Amino acid sequence: MLIHAEWVLPIASAPVRDGAVLVRETRVRDVGPLEELAREYPGDPVERHDGCVLLPGLINAHTHLALTVLGGLLPSVSFGEWLPLLVRAVRTLTPEALEASVALGARRCLEAGVTVVGEIAYSAASQRIAREAGLGGVFFWEVLGVKPGGLGRALATHGYPARAPDIPGDPRIRAGISPHSPYTSGPGLLRAAHARTRAEGVPYAIHVAESHAEAELFEQGSGALAGTASRFAMGLAPGSGITPVRYLDDLGVLDGALAIHCVQLKADDVDVLAAKTAGIVLCPRSNAYLREGPAPVAALEAAGTRLALGTDSLASNLDLDLLDEARVVRALAPNLTAERVIRMMTTDGAEALGMGDSFGSLAPGHQADLAIFRCAAEVADPHEALLGCAGRPSLTNVMSGGEWRVRDGRVAEPSDAGLDAIIERARETARAALA
Ligand SMILES: [Zn+2]
């Protein structure tokens, strides 16, 4: 099938006006001007999308889909005040509620044109549910608060696959490991988790320098996270006068890491992150919700870090709209072009997750993941049309792995219907716990 759009953005190559993508089964086979491709592949039907911009399925490099159910329930307060509330709310969620939450989150991703996530997973169920909904990506099994020797057991208990990074039955999904943060995973656990990811060749992610409280903990040993650190991060002796980035680098656990947030940085940190990490996930709206940040986007860009975008969870964001995240990044770093910011949620996001070989650009052989947006007005510059604030584009169609998942703006299957009652019950319980 040839899928046409007024503008096709392959990302890996120049935009094509009146372009088309040739999709055969699950993969992209060719990209170019419609006229040429129609001549070359006369047997393939053409589906036209006039007035639309087509680009690769977007990469939301940091999500917690299992927390989607908490949308709008937690207040916008500082990270140190928010974290205990989050813990209180999460404790009320049953396995059934968590699974419904992942399903709902997967739908919200598709509605935003996102087909790939860097998901913090709490069980094997999340990757199964997200995969059935049509998402690909890396599912980072989260560990915290266990002794280094307990890592294997903690992972096994939560269904971490025996032959990571591959998850049997799906080339679109990979497993990774994420010790939650330097203040909830002690130095021994951080080293053990990092060593295991290196040995298995799987991606490794960690929340880093997200808050003032985290910076204060490592600088002075005090602040809102001191109690959490003493309970969870076994073996940590905080207050050594260094930054969280420096602490992790001294431990040797930043190499190849996907570093999430990176808001509270000192000048040297930026160079360390550029030299060591696989990428940084900017989550500007989550940082603003928690009154932290913003991350020094221009400095990170100037240092040559690989930048990806994430929405984080609905416990600290308004929605899972990645284009809105991109608009905020542009506002924070006005020198970045729209094209540059779009790379963050396509090729660079895919590379940061270690999946650049299959996702993030429309190259032959890549997964057939496409997002199509209808633009309100005549499109002179397709990048600006996507990120401009006036006359925002609306999502019309999403394909993942060669299968249409959103048609005419509506998610195809499964429907929300079965989820509604579970979600509503879970929200009631969480609301009561927070009251
Ligand atoms: Zn997070």
Side-chain angles (χ1 to χ4, degrees):
M1 174 194 280
L2 281 165
I3 302 159
H4 153 272
E6 184 168 333
W7 282 99
V8 170
L9 306 184
I11 308 294
S13 51
V16 188
R17 185 154 208 173
D18 271 313
V21 182
L22 176 69
V23 171
R24 294 260 173 85
E25 295 171 355
T26 62
R27 305 278 172 167
V28 170
R29 294 301 168 195
D30 209 345
V31 183
L34 174 65
E35 217 179 275
E36 281 176 25
L37 294 191
R39 214 179 303 127
E40 204 167 328
Y41 308 99
D44 281 85
V46 178
E47 180 173 303
R48 291 191 69 94
H49 294 274
D50 294 301
C52 293
V53 177
L54 181 159
L55 76 170
L58 303 177
I59 318 282
N60 187 340
H62 184 54
T63 57
H64 300 252
L65 298 180
L67 303 183
T68 308
V69 69
L70 300 179
L73 296 184
L74 279 92
S76 168
V77 291
S78 76
F79 186 83
E81 294 169 274
W82 172 85
L83 188 62
L85 295 174
L86 175 70
V87 171
R88 207 191 296 170
V90 167
R91 283 207 182 113
T92 68
L93 300 177
T94 60
E96 183 190 46
L98 289 167
E99 291 182 18
S101 191
V102 173
L104 184 67
R107 290 179 68 90
R108 297 292 172 262
C109 285
L110 292 169
E111 287 165 357
V114 167
T115 61
V116 174
V117 290
E119 164 74 352
I120 303 296
Y122 308 102
S123 73
S126 24
Q127 58 83 11
R128 175 180 53 77
I129 294 163
R131 183 181 65 200
E132 285 167 7
L135 295 184
V138 179
F139 284 68
F140 294 97
W141 263 254
E142 187 171 75
V143 287
L144 70 165
V146 296
K147 293 189 181 127
L151 172 66
R153 198 157 140 203
L155 289 171
T157 306
H158 294 104
Y160 182 75
R163 283 195 320 207
D166 297 327
I167 291 180
D170 202 325
R172 298 172 49 80
I173 299 254
R174 285 172 207 166
I177 298 175
S178 175
H180 169 258
S181 71
Y183 58 89
T184 51
S185 300
L189 179 60
L190 291 169
R191 281 207 195 93
H194 187 262
R196 178 152 174 175
T197 59
R198 299 302 91 176
E200 290 184 342
V202 310
Y204 164 92
I206 183 165
H207 295 78
V208 186
E210 182 175 4
S211 66
H212 292 87
E214 184 180 336
E216 184 187 344
L217 178 75
F218 284 88
E219 185 93 14
Q220 297 160 31
S222 56
L225 292 176
T228 303
S230 71
R231 281 197 304 282
F232 286 88
M234 291 162 211
L236 172 65
S240 41
I242 57 175
T243 65
V245 167
R246 183 62 192 286
Y247 165 75
L248 293 172
D249 190 38
D250 288 350
L251 280 179
V253 299
L254 267 188
D255 290 28
L258 182 68
I260 303 154
H261 295 300
C262 299
V263 172
Q264 297 297 325
L265 304 180
K266 295 211 165 146
D268 292 354
D269 292 341
V270 172
D271 293 330
V272 171
L273 290 166
K276 299 289 173 73
T277 63
I280 290 171
V281 190
L282 302 170
C283 306
R285 290 190 304 159
S286 172
N287 302 145
Y289 196 97
L290 300 177
R291 310 193 182 182
E292 307 288 353
V297 179
L300 290 166
E301 168 77 5
T305 52
R306 182 183 284 126
L307 297 174
L309 295 189
T311 56
D312 211 341
S313 81
L314 285 198
S316 61
N317 206 344
L318 304 174
D319 55 51
L320 300 182
D321 187 341
L322 198 64
L323 283 186
D324 258 352
E325 217 64 52
R327 291 183 184 107
V328 173
V329 166
R330 258 201 116 190
L332 292 174
N335 288 339
L336 298 183
T337 62
E339 181 177 8
R340 172 71 195 93
V341 177
I342 287 169
R343 289 182 74 89
M344 294 180 190
M345 46 185 183
T346 51
T347 40
D348 290 3
E351 292 286 350
L353 290 174
M355 298 184 108
D357 56 347
S358 302
F359 296 99
S361 67
L362 301 176
H366 279 207
Q367 288 280 326
D369 281 33
L370 318 172
I372 303 176
F373 291 88
R374 176 168 300 285
C375 296
E378 180 76 10
V379 177
D381 176 337
H383 300 103
E384 290 292 346
L386 286 172
L387 293 194
C389 289
R392 290 179 178 211
S394 56
L395 181 87
T396 61
N397 292 277
V398 175
M399 173 180 277
S400 75
E403 197 176 322
W404 290 111
R405 297 289 184 166
V406 176
R407 286 305 244 171
D408 301 322
R410 296 169 69 97
V411 179
E413 283 293 328
S415 80
D416 266 339
L419 296 178
D420 286 352
I422 303 169
I423 298 282
E424 213 25 68
R425 256 200 320 275
R427 288 176 63 79
E428 273 311 312
T429 322
R431 207 181 271 126
L434 289 168

